[in-house]
Amino acid sequence: MKEFFIGRRVELLTEEQEKEIKIWHMSLEGAEIGHMACRRTEAMTFLYVYRGQLECQVERENAALEAGEACFINSDRFYRFIKGTPQGCEICLAEVSEAYLAGGFTDALKGKYITSVKDSDNISLMKFVPTPRGDSDEDILIQALQASAEIVRVRDAAYELDLKGWMLTAWGRLYKKYIHFSPVQSKAAIRERERLVRMLDYLNRHYTEKLTLTMLAEDCGVSGGEYCRFFKRQMNLTPFEYLQKCRIEHSMHELLEKSGSMSDIAAHCGFGGASYYAETFKKEMGCAPGDYRKWYRGDREDCPVKAPGEASGDRERKVQIRKEIPPHLL
């Protein structure tokens, strides 16, 4: 799976040509989680956990999900998986577009039920927890997500109609919780979110370039010190640490397809050279690029990836990186 999470057991259940709805099944090693940079999509996202635990960050908010729980991530938000159980987790992730949900609706119904939620500044993340009785709106939403994944996997007769029905059921339960929840964000909170989005968007778009802290700060109209403090407070990462995650993640496709040399991969993804790319890859992933490629292709069974912060010699490597990178970039 090349357009989203790179992992050996990541499967896109819908067809590649189905642009309005995409459903993934992911069975992730615990060590895989936490290495990804943020994903941003215009679609609305539902996430359901079958097994294990998963913590998901949506810009300034976090959701810790247990098995059987789900969450909704609104359109045009940055999100990433930041922590999971050591034994790994199994999840379903569904991305649905406004056009998919509103097909056949009048403009009035589309605006009332879908656009009102999609365009709201007050809702980025919403969590759903099943109840003991199993008949609440939250239970029905979770059941609808489970049914949608099963339908698209089996692809029985008229599965497209069944899938649309279950996704509308899930959205209806989401809408009911949304109007009762009635979240209201302060103007200060909205401004902070807009600043963080600007920072993440710039880093995600310019990761191939030689960036300095001065450049990043000027884009946001703040001092370098304020940029670093704000980013670290919101993301629990320095801007440079996040930038390296972006570069490593974007290098994965070329690495796994072996479409170029290590030098080519390094140049395309913003690294100074092949050796620096390999060193940074090992710092982030806990293994050499070649070892990761072997595992991904099934040439070795044991996962060589290590959870963030557990790479061998990680502390020493951080010190070395700080010596290599000019202070104005940190």
Side-chain angles (χ1 to χ4, degrees):
M1 221 299 296
K2 305 173 184 64
E3 64 169 294
F4 188 19
F5 197 101
I6 300 294
R8 191 164 75 172
R9 288 178 288 274
V10 174
E11 180 184 7
L12 179 61
L13 300 180
T14 48
E15 300 290 345
E16 287 287 352
Q17 64 268 22
E18 295 178 278
K19 302 299 183 183
E20 303 300 340
I21 180 168
K22 293 182 179 293
I23 299 178
W24 286 272
H25 179 269
M26 304 182 188
S27 185
L28 305 176
E29 301 278 349
E32 287 186 273
I33 302 166
H35 296 290
M36 71 183 289
C38 288
R39 175 169 172 81
R40 187 185 194 184
T41 172
E42 293 183 2
M44 285 78 76
T45 301
F46 288 98
L47 174 63
Y48 173 74
V49 178
Y50 289 105
R51 172 181 58 85
Q53 299 171 329
L54 179 70
E55 188 172 348
C56 182
Q57 179 183 8
V58 184
E59 295 174 350
R60 302 173 67 245
E61 301 178 60
N62 284 20
L65 302 175
E66 304 278 344
E69 297 178 348
C71 75
F72 167 74
I73 302 168
N74 208 356
S75 169
D76 207 29
R77 265 57 172 186
F78 283 98
Y79 71 91
R80 65 190 185 108
F81 307 150
I82 59 175
K83 191 184 300 182
T85 44
Q87 298 77 17
C89 64
E90 185 178 354
I91 65 175
C92 169
L93 188 143
E95 292 180 347
V96 292
S97 70
E98 183 178 23
Y100 179 84
L101 291 170
F105 282 18
T106 63
D107 288 343
L109 288 177
K110 174 184 173 182
K112 177 180 178 179
Y113 290 113
I114 301 173
T115 309
S116 62
V117 179
K118 171 180 173 290
D119 292 348
S120 174
D121 287 327
N122 295 319
I123 179 67
S124 294
L125 172 67
M126 194 178 293
K127 182 176 174 178
F128 301 91
V129 179
T131 65
R133 289 184 56 183
D135 58 358
S136 70
D137 284 332
E138 299 200 21
D139 292 309
I140 295 172
L141 181 144
I142 290 170
Q143 292 161 14
L145 296 180
Q146 293 172 322
S148 298
E150 182 62 21
I151 284 167
V152 78
R153 184 184 292 280
V154 174
R155 293 181 177 273
D156 208 342
Y159 81 92
E160 295 98 337
L161 298 177
D162 292 335
L163 177 61
K164 182 71 171 286
W166 280 116
M167 291 309 304
L168 286 174
T169 296
W171 189 264
R173 269 48 189 188
L174 166 73
Y175 179 79
K176 288 181 180 180
K177 181 170 181 176
Y178 169 76
I179 59 175
H180 288 120
F181 179 46
S182 300
V184 177
Q185 294 279 345
S186 67
K187 291 182 179 179
I190 293 174
R191 285 196 298 271
E192 284 199 343
R193 176 186 173 264
E194 290 173 347
R195 177 186 287 186
L196 179 61
V197 166
R198 187 178 183 93
M199 291 176 174
L200 292 171
D201 183 60
Y202 190 92
L203 289 168
N204 278 30
R205 287 188 294 109
H206 297 276
Y207 68 91
T208 61
E209 303 170 18
K210 293 182 179 179
L211 300 177
T212 67
L213 182 54
T214 300
M215 294 166 61
L216 301 179
E218 286 180 351
D219 181 68
C220 289
V222 298
S223 69
E226 173 58 21
Y227 186 102
C228 288
R229 287 190 295 272
F230 179 85
F231 194 94
K232 181 66 181 290
R233 186 168 68 248
Q234 302 293 332
M235 298 295 295
N236 200 30
L237 294 168
T238 68
F240 179 72
E241 288 170 338
Y242 181 82
L243 178 62
Q244 296 296 61
K245 285 183 183 291
C246 283
R247 288 170 171 168
I248 291 296
E249 188 171 8
H250 281 91
S251 75
M252 291 291 200
H253 172 58
E254 289 187 64
L255 172 67
L256 298 174
E257 295 297 323
K258 205 174 182 179
S259 55
S261 67
M262 288 293 179
S263 296
D264 291 337
I265 295 173
H268 295 163
C269 297
F271 295 98
S275 61
Y276 184 54
Y277 168 64
E279 290 173 5
T280 306
F281 190 100
K282 188 168 185 178
K283 171 190 174 291
E284 175 62 40
M285 305 297 290
C287 64
D291 290 336
Y292 184 83
R293 180 194 285 155
K294 289 177 182 177
W295 172 75
Y296 180 85
R297 293 178 175 177
D299 295 334
R300 59 178 290 177
E301 281 304 311
D302 60 308
C303 179
V305 180
K306 289 182 170 53
E310 293 183 0
S312 176
D314 186 57
R315 182 176 298 176
E316 291 78 6
R317 181 64 195 137
K318 284 183 178 180
V319 172
Q320 182 63 27
I321 284 179
R322 289 185 177 275
K323 291 179 180 177
E324 293 172 359
I325 305 300
H328 63 268
L329 186 56
L330 294 174

